[in-house]
Amino acid sequence: MDKKDVANIRKQLKTDNDLLRISDIFTVYIMKESTDIYHYQRQPFEMLDSDQQELFMNNFKKVLTGQMNEKLFELKFKRDAESSSQLILHKGLLGEGEDWQEQMLQMTEKMIQNPFEKDIVITFIRGEYMKPTRKRSEESEESSRDTVYSHPFTLCTVNKTEEPKKEIQFDYVEKEFKYKVEVDPVIDLKNPMTGFLFPCITNHASDVNHVLYAAPKANEPDFHFIEEVLNGEEIMTAQEDKAVFEEVIKSVVGDRLSPSTLAKVYSEINTTIEENEEDEPPKLDYKDVERVLTNSGEKVEGDKVKEAFQLITDNEGYELKAGSIVPKYKTKSIKIQTMIANISISPQDLQYVRQVNYKGKRCIMIEIEEDAEIDGFKMLPEAFGEE
């Protein structure tokens, strides 16, 4: 799945939507510091009142929010895993109410092998996501929804609970202040801890060999959950991929690189991303990195790049996710760090930056086309070399 696939599903998570139908909701309550199921219940989602449905919908949107390979990860299932989550989830997908519930209880048991610090609620929904086979044509009388791709799915969220607030209230009738004490815990549906979507849905195809996992925080996946609960293969975060790329470059060309060369490197990778925009997110192996460096003006040896991959990743065939290496090319800034100040600049504008020696001191020089401004004041031009 890519960000577009996730966004397409997320935007359909709303009530009274004929393109996404949720049939069942199954909730499980787990007491803190326990590995036992305290209570569970299943009911048709449509039986919830509209306010409850809205609360859960917002919760489901939250768990599917975030950047791919930072907060959301497409995991490939391990083969021959004991008590295979892929098999459990697939059986649940094919089964009806009671059968689906039984499989979700098995997934719950895998999740609660380690006790939680707070009471938690695990929520599963079973639904069907429909996507029109084509875009609507204004000239055609036929609706774009007459033919759709149908994708059954299971979505899971894990939410912590909070202690109820103690409050002082004023009773208008009795004309007195009262101390309100609530004992029932509150489920925090605004901040899901983690969750997953099965199967992955890419364009018009459901992929039961992959599951979409949502990490608790960006670049901080729960590897126990990935490996033991979902039986997913090992992953690298975007942050880790970026670090590997930097180490490979340093190993091949050294740790000193001109801004213009770095700008060319980012531009080359961004071109690769744009050329493959309609396909799967592109990956770069050692041959691709050699090509990027060569096209950026660096003379490198293929064997040296290959050795760097082997040294840093223990796998000369490792592939870096291109989208993790390049900062969001036209929207995100990167930092030029100095002891005096940090300067933020977009990747494509690195070509206008130079480090120069001026009167025996190292300086950052930025080529500009207009007067620079500081707090609304235009900077006064100074002749180069003036005291």
Side-chain angles (χ1 to χ4, degrees):
M1 297 183 74
D2 60 22
K3 61 182 180 181
K4 290 182 180 178
D5 296 314
V6 177
N8 285 335
I9 297 175
R10 188 173 58 242
K11 72 180 181 181
Q12 300 301 339
L13 287 166
K14 51 191 175 184
T15 56
D16 300 323
N17 178 17
D18 61 347
L19 288 178
L20 189 138
R21 300 169 188 162
I22 300 175
S23 53
D24 294 285
I25 182 168
F26 180 51
T27 48
V28 187
Y29 196 95
I30 309 296
M31 300 285 281
K32 65 180 179 181
E33 300 177 353
S34 169
T35 55
D36 296 323
I37 295 174
Y38 181 73
H39 173 72
Y40 62 82
Q41 75 176 47
R42 176 176 60 87
Q43 59 184 318
F45 191 75
E46 63 184 13
M47 295 297 290
L48 301 178
D49 63 41
S50 59
D51 288 340
Q52 285 181 304
Q53 289 184 11
E54 194 67 36
L55 283 171
F56 276 111
M57 284 295 192
N58 289 332
N59 174 54
F60 304 145
K61 286 180 184 177
K62 285 275 188 179
V63 84
L64 294 180
T65 299
Q67 296 295 323
M68 293 297 296
N69 303 311
E70 293 181 8
K71 186 76 166 53
L72 301 173
F73 299 85
E74 184 179 74
L75 306 180
K76 184 177 182 181
F77 288 110
K78 292 179 182 176
R79 292 187 177 183
D80 304 321
E82 186 176 348
S83 183
S84 168
S85 292
Q86 181 183 18
L87 183 59
I88 293 170
L89 290 168
H90 199 199
K91 281 183 177 179
L93 202 67
L94 300 175
E96 294 303 322
E98 289 292 338
D99 294 331
W100 175 72
Q101 174 180 307
E102 183 58 35
Q103 303 304 318
M104 296 310 101
L105 282 172
Q106 288 189 44
M107 288 301 302
T108 301
E109 292 288 354
K110 297 184 74 170
M111 283 187 234
I112 61 176
Q113 291 302 308
N114 292 331
F116 290 85
E117 295 180 357
K118 290 188 176 184
D119 291 6
I120 64 162
V121 172
I122 303 173
T123 303
F124 299 93
I125 56 170
R126 187 162 64 104
E128 189 176 16
Y129 162 60
M130 283 153 285
K131 188 175 181 182
T133 57
R134 57 184 177 78
K135 293 183 179 179
R136 182 173 182 175
S137 171
E138 294 181 1
E139 299 176 357
S140 173
E141 295 181 0
E142 184 181 0
S143 171
S144 63
R145 297 187 179 185
D146 287 346
T147 308
V148 296
Y149 295 102
S150 175
H151 303 289
F153 69 88
T154 292
L155 177 64
C156 170
T157 64
V158 180
N159 299 79
K160 62 184 177 181
T161 62
E162 300 291 349
E163 295 295 328
K165 295 180 180 178
K166 299 179 176 66
E167 299 174 326
I168 302 294
Q169 294 183 336
F170 181 71
D171 188 325
Y172 280 101
V173 177
E174 300 293 333
K175 294 184 178 180
E176 64 179 1
F177 295 98
K178 292 183 178 179
Y179 178 51
K180 181 183 177 183
V181 181
E182 292 283 353
V183 296
D184 297 329
V186 177
I187 304 171
D188 182 5
L189 291 176
K190 294 181 179 179
N191 302 288
M193 298 166 60
T194 187
F196 61 84
L197 171 73
F198 175 84
C200 281
I201 301 169
T202 304
N203 293 326
H204 309 308
S206 295
D207 180 3
V208 296
N209 293 312
H210 292 82
V211 59
L212 184 69
Y213 161 71
K217 295 181 180 180
N219 290 303
E220 294 184 17
D222 182 339
F223 290 101
H224 172 81
F225 196 97
I226 289 172
E227 296 171 12
E228 302 301 326
V229 176
L230 294 176
N231 303 139
E233 292 186 352
E234 186 178 349
I235 61 167
M236 291 277 277
T237 67
Q239 194 175 63
E240 290 170 329
D241 256 354
K242 182 74 160 57
V244 167
F245 176 75
E246 290 173 358
E247 289 302 314
V248 167
I249 298 302
K250 289 177 182 178
S251 177
V252 174
V253 301
D255 61 358
R256 299 179 70 86
L257 206 62
S258 71
S260 58
T261 300
L262 188 57
K264 290 176 183 176
V265 168
Y266 284 153
S267 178
E268 280 287 326
I269 297 174
N270 186 64
T271 299
T272 301
I273 294 172
E274 290 180 343
E275 289 175 348
N276 294 273
E277 198 167 4
E278 300 301 322
D279 303 319
E280 288 188 11
K283 295 182 178 180
L284 307 177
D285 60 16
Y286 72 88
K287 293 180 181 178
D288 295 312
V289 172
E290 178 191 355
R291 171 182 56 78
V292 166
L293 288 172
T294 300
N295 291 348
S296 301
E298 292 291 326
K299 295 181 180 180
V300 296
E301 298 176 5
D303 289 342
K304 195 169 183 180
V305 181
K306 185 177 179 180
E307 290 171 5
F309 266 72
Q310 176 65 41
L311 178 66
I312 294 163
T313 68
D314 291 327
N315 177 13
E316 65 182 35
Y318 182 78
E319 295 179 316
L320 298 159
K321 295 178 284 291
S324 300
I325 298 169
V326 181
K328 298 175 186 61
Y329 202 68
K330 296 180 181 179
T331 60
K332 192 170 182 178
S333 298
I334 58 177
K335 283 186 178 180
I336 300 173
Q337 296 178 320
T338 74
M339 294 184 67
I340 302 299
N342 292 331
I343 304 168
S344 294
I345 194 166
S346 59
Q348 67 266 31
D349 292 333
L350 276 174
Q351 58 184 309
Y352 303 115
V353 179
R354 299 285 187 278
Q355 178 173 292
V356 299
N357 286 317
Y358 172 60
K359 293 188 175 181
K361 296 182 179 180
R362 282 174 291 185
C363 302
I364 297 292
M365 183 175 72
I366 303 176
E367 179 185 336
I368 57 176
E369 295 181 352
E370 65 286 316
D371 290 338
E373 290 190 9
I374 301 177
D375 282 344
F377 293 93
K378 289 188 176 181
M379 292 182 67
L380 183 67
E382 300 177 38
F384 196 72
E386 280 188 0
E387 290 294 338

